[in-house]
Amino acid sequence: MRVHHVLNKQDFTLEELLDLDEIVDLAKNPMQEHHQILADYLNQDQILLKLMSYIIKEDDSSDNSKYRYPVVASEILMSSLVGLHDSLYKNNSIISLLYTFFDQDELPIHRTVLVCKVLCFFAENYSALTVNHIVNNPDTSIKLLIKHIYNSNIINILKILVVLEETEDGVDIVNFLNEYNLIYIFLETFAKSEPENYWQISKGFIDLMQVLDWSSVLMLECCSNQFVDSLLKMATENASTMKYLLPIYQHILYVLYTDLLEIEETVPYIVSKMETILPVLNSTLKDPPDDISIIGKKPIFGETRIKIIELLTLFLAVSYTEEVGKLLLSDVPNTLMDLFFEYNQNSVVHSMFSTFMITIINSPDEERTVEFLQHTKLVECLIKFERKNRKSPNMIQILPHIYKIGENLSNSLEYELIGPYVAEQKHWNSFNNLLYEVIVDFEALDEDSAFSLSSWSETERPCDKVN
C-alpha cells in the first residue's frame, strides 16, 4: 500500500505507516506531497512517545516490532520532519523518555546504538534543547549516561556535548559538566568497573580529551594537580590498572608539552610526579607480564611494559633537566637494558627500547649523556651483546647511535667513555670500522692502549647470558 493511501484513510495506525518503505523518505523531505499530513500526525505527543518506546523497549510481539519498527522510528526522529523541534521542546517528557533507557545495568547492543544515534542527532541539531534538558535534569540525563562510559556510543555523545558553544540563554554545558565533576566521575566509574571495561573507559577518556580545546575548563581540570594525583594513585596501587591509566597520564604530559607550557605552576608539578612513580614503574618492568602467553618458547613482553616505555619516552621529550636527570640515574634504564637483552628476538621491544635510548643519546646536554653512559655502562653491554650476537639484525637499530656519541663529546670524555671498548674490538669486523671512523682516532689506540676491559663491572647482566 502506498503512503498516501494510508494517510487518506480516516483511521490509520502508526504501525501501518512504519510498515511502508517510503515513510522515512517522506519524513526527510518537507517539499514532498503529504509531508505536512504526516508531520501533523507524528508530532502528536502520544505518537512521539510511541515512537520513542519502539526505540528503547524490547517488543517481541512480532518480527516488525522487534526489528523494523525501532530502526524506522529512529530514522523518523532524525529526519527533517516539520514541527518536530517544537514538539520536543513543548513536551519535556518526550526527550526524557530517551534517557530512561540508560537506567539499567546492562545495555542491549542494538538498542543502544539506535538510542545513542538519536541523542547524537539531537545534540548536534537541537543543541539548545539538549543542553537545557541536561542542565535542568542532570540526575535523569547525564548521570545515567556516565554509568555506561565504557560504551563507545556514550563517549560519542559526550564528545559532542563538550564542544557545544554557550546557548543563547547563556547556558554553558562545558562549565556545567566541569562543575558536575565529569572527569572525576570517570575515575570513580573506572574504579568500580569490571576489568573487561578498563580499556574502553581509558580509551573513551583519551578520545574525549582529544576533542577538547586546550583552554577548555575540562582540559585544564584534566591537567590539574588534583586530578593527576588521583590518577597516578589509582594506577600505582593496582598493577592490573596501570596499562590502562598510564596512557591518560601520557596524554596529559603531551598536552602540557604541546599546548600548556606557559602554565608555569602546573607543568613542573605534573612532570615532577614522574619521580614519585619511578620505583613502581621499575618494579612493574621487572615483574613477569600480566598477560602471559607463549609465542614459540618465549613469553611475550607484556602490554603494561610497552605502555610504561611509551610514557618514559614522551617524558624525556618534556626536557625538564632536573627531572629527566633523576630518571636517567634511577634503576629504570638498567632494567630496560636488561629487558632489551632478554627479549633480543622481539622486534617491538628492540624498537621501543631504541627509541628510548636514542632520545637520551641524541640529547644536546653532554652532561646528561655522560651521566647516563656512566650509570648504565650502555656501551659495554651493547658490545658484549654484539660479540655474542653478531648476526642479530636488531643491533643495527641502536649501535650506530652509540658510535655517534663521540661527535657530541669532548676528546677526553670520548676516550674515557668509549675508548676502552674500541680498543677491545680492534680486530672485529662488522661494526668496528664504522666505530673507528666516527668516534676515535684509530692511530691513538694500539695494542698497548691503557684502555682495558678489565675495569668493566663484573656484575652479571642479561647481556652475558644471551646465547
Side-chain angles (χ1 to χ4, degrees):
M1 183 179 292
R2 305 288 296 178
V3 66
H4 62 274
H5 291 148
V6 175
L7 292 174
N8 286 332
K9 292 169 58 177
Q10 284 190 348
D11 295 309
F12 58 86
T13 64
L14 175 61
E15 288 70 28
E16 286 182 278
L17 289 175
L18 297 179
D19 283 332
L20 300 172
D21 292 336
E22 64 265 44
I23 187 66
V24 174
D25 183 59
L26 180 59
K28 291 182 176 181
N29 292 279
M31 301 305 295
Q32 283 194 26
E33 186 180 4
H34 300 104
H35 177 91
Q36 188 60 56
I37 300 174
L38 177 65
D40 291 342
Y41 175 76
L42 294 178
N43 279 315
Q44 299 176 76
D45 288 351
Q46 68 272 23
I47 301 300
L48 282 174
L49 288 171
K50 196 168 185 180
L51 283 174
M52 296 283 191
S53 295
Y54 271 126
I55 298 174
I56 68 173
K57 296 179 181 179
E58 295 284 349
D59 184 353
D60 297 334
S61 59
S62 69
D63 284 346
N64 275 353
S65 60
K66 185 176 182 179
Y67 301 111
R68 177 181 173 82
Y69 294 167
V71 175
V72 176
S74 67
E75 290 294 330
I76 290 174
L77 290 172
M78 294 186 291
S79 69
S80 305
L81 191 71
V82 170
L84 177 60
H85 178 270
D86 294 335
S87 298
L88 293 171
Y89 258 110
K90 183 177 64 176
N91 190 343
N92 191 59
S93 63
I94 296 174
I95 193 169
S96 294
L97 187 59
L98 271 180
Y99 286 100
T100 62
F101 170 79
F102 301 102
D103 192 12
Q104 52 185 317
D105 293 331
E106 296 293 332
L107 298 178
I109 297 175
H110 180 64
R111 301 279 173 168
T112 302
V113 172
L114 292 179
V115 173
C116 290
K117 280 179 65 177
V118 173
L119 285 176
C120 284
F121 178 85
F122 284 178
E124 290 179 323
N125 295 276
Y126 308 146
S127 56
L129 164 67
T130 301
V131 168
N132 287 329
H133 178 80
I134 290 174
V135 171
N136 293 325
N137 307 277
D139 290 341
T140 56
S141 57
I142 193 69
K143 184 177 180 179
L144 297 179
L145 284 178
I146 294 175
K147 279 177 56 178
H148 307 282
I149 53 174
Y150 56 83
N151 190 298
S152 60
N153 296 287
I154 305 297
I155 295 298
N156 289 337
I157 298 173
L158 293 175
K159 284 166 65 175
I160 296 173
L161 294 178
V162 297
V163 296
L164 290 178
E165 296 182 357
E166 184 178 307
T167 67
E168 293 181 0
D169 299 333
V171 180
D172 190 327
I173 186 66
V174 179
N175 282 332
F176 169 78
L177 292 175
N178 186 54
E179 292 172 1
Y180 196 71
N181 291 323
L182 175 64
I183 64 169
Y184 293 98
I185 293 175
F186 258 91
L187 286 184
E188 292 171 7
T189 306
F190 183 96
K192 297 175 183 177
S193 292
E194 296 297 324
E196 59 263 27
N197 293 328
Y198 286 167
W199 181 82
Q200 283 289 359
I201 297 175
S202 172
K203 180 180 181 299
F205 190 89
I206 293 173
D207 287 348
L208 200 62
M209 289 182 68
Q210 288 175 339
V211 301
L212 289 171
D213 184 84
W214 68 267
S215 60
S216 163
V217 291
L218 279 174
M219 178 59 80
L220 295 176
E221 189 62 42
C222 288
C223 297
S224 69
N225 301 348
Q226 179 184 353
F227 179 75
V228 171
D229 282 344
S230 301
L231 177 71
L232 293 180
K233 183 175 186 291
M234 187 180 297
T236 54
E237 286 182 347
N238 184 348
S240 66
T241 67
M242 185 177 291
K243 66 182 175 183
Y244 306 103
L245 296 177
L246 284 186
I248 298 178
Y249 178 55
Q250 180 178 336
H251 189 75
I252 291 172
L253 279 176
Y254 176 78
V255 171
L256 291 170
Y257 182 53
T258 55
D259 296 315
L260 299 177
L261 288 175
E262 70 276 12
I263 306 181
E264 296 180 0
E265 71 278 9
T266 298
V267 181
Y269 179 83
I270 303 300
V271 173
S272 69
K273 295 303 293 183
M274 179 65 78
E275 180 186 2
T276 66
I277 66 171
L278 279 178
V280 178
L281 297 183
N282 189 58
S283 174
T284 306
L285 285 170
K286 288 182 174 181
D287 289 340
D290 53 6
D291 39 4
I292 283 287
S293 67
I294 301 298
I295 299 177
K297 296 183 179 180
K298 287 186 174 293
I300 63 174
F301 186 67
E303 186 179 352
T304 301
R305 287 168 165 176
I306 290 177
K307 295 300 181 185
I308 291 175
I309 297 177
E310 288 177 342
L311 172 63
L312 294 172
T313 303
L314 177 65
F315 178 74
L316 290 172
V318 178
S319 297
Y320 274 75
T321 304
E322 180 181 351
E323 301 302 333
V324 171
K326 293 174 182 176
L327 167 59
L328 298 185
L329 297 179
S330 72
D331 292 332
V332 171
N334 282 326
T335 301
L336 286 174
M337 196 184 310
D338 291 348
L339 291 171
F340 176 75
F341 296 126
E342 180 182 352
Y343 292 84
N344 61 83
Q345 299 302 317
N346 188 318
S347 60
V348 174
V349 176
H350 274 254
S351 177
M352 299 199 72
F353 173 84
S354 297
T355 301
F356 178 78
M357 292 301 180
I358 289 165
T359 303
I360 299 169
I361 293 167
N362 290 343
S363 167
D365 187 336
E366 179 180 297
E367 183 177 349
R368 180 186 300 176
T369 302
V370 170
E371 283 184 327
F372 171 74
L373 291 172
Q374 291 172 332
H375 175 62
T376 61
K377 298 187 181 299
L378 176 62
V379 179
E380 167 190 340
C381 288
L382 285 173
I383 289 180
K384 280 185 178 181
F385 182 78
E386 198 271 351
R387 183 186 301 164
K388 295 182 178 182
N389 298 271
R390 294 180 184 179
K391 296 182 180 180
S392 173
N394 293 316
M395 293 306 298
I396 298 174
Q397 295 182 24
I398 194 167
L399 280 177
H401 293 272
I402 298 294
Y403 300 156
K404 293 179 182 178
I405 293 173
E407 295 179 344
N408 298 322
L409 300 177
S410 63
N411 287 338
S412 59
L413 285 171
E414 178 182 318
Y415 289 132
E416 178 185 345
L417 293 169
I418 305 171
Y421 320 131
V422 178
E424 174 66 17
Q425 65 159 342
K426 193 162 61 171
H427 300 293
W428 294 4
N429 48 27
S430 179
F431 294 108
N432 74 315
N433 290 332
L434 175 61
L435 191 60
Y436 287 131
E437 292 173 7
V438 177
I439 298 183
V440 298
D441 179 4
F442 180 84
E443 299 300 326
L445 297 169
D446 54 30
E447 294 290 346
D448 300 321
S449 172
F451 299 122
S452 171
L453 290 181
S454 61
S455 61
W456 284 13
S457 169
E458 297 301 324
T459 304
E460 190 177 62
R461 300 288 296 278
C463 60
D464 299 317
K465 302 177 182 179
V466 178
N467 295 323

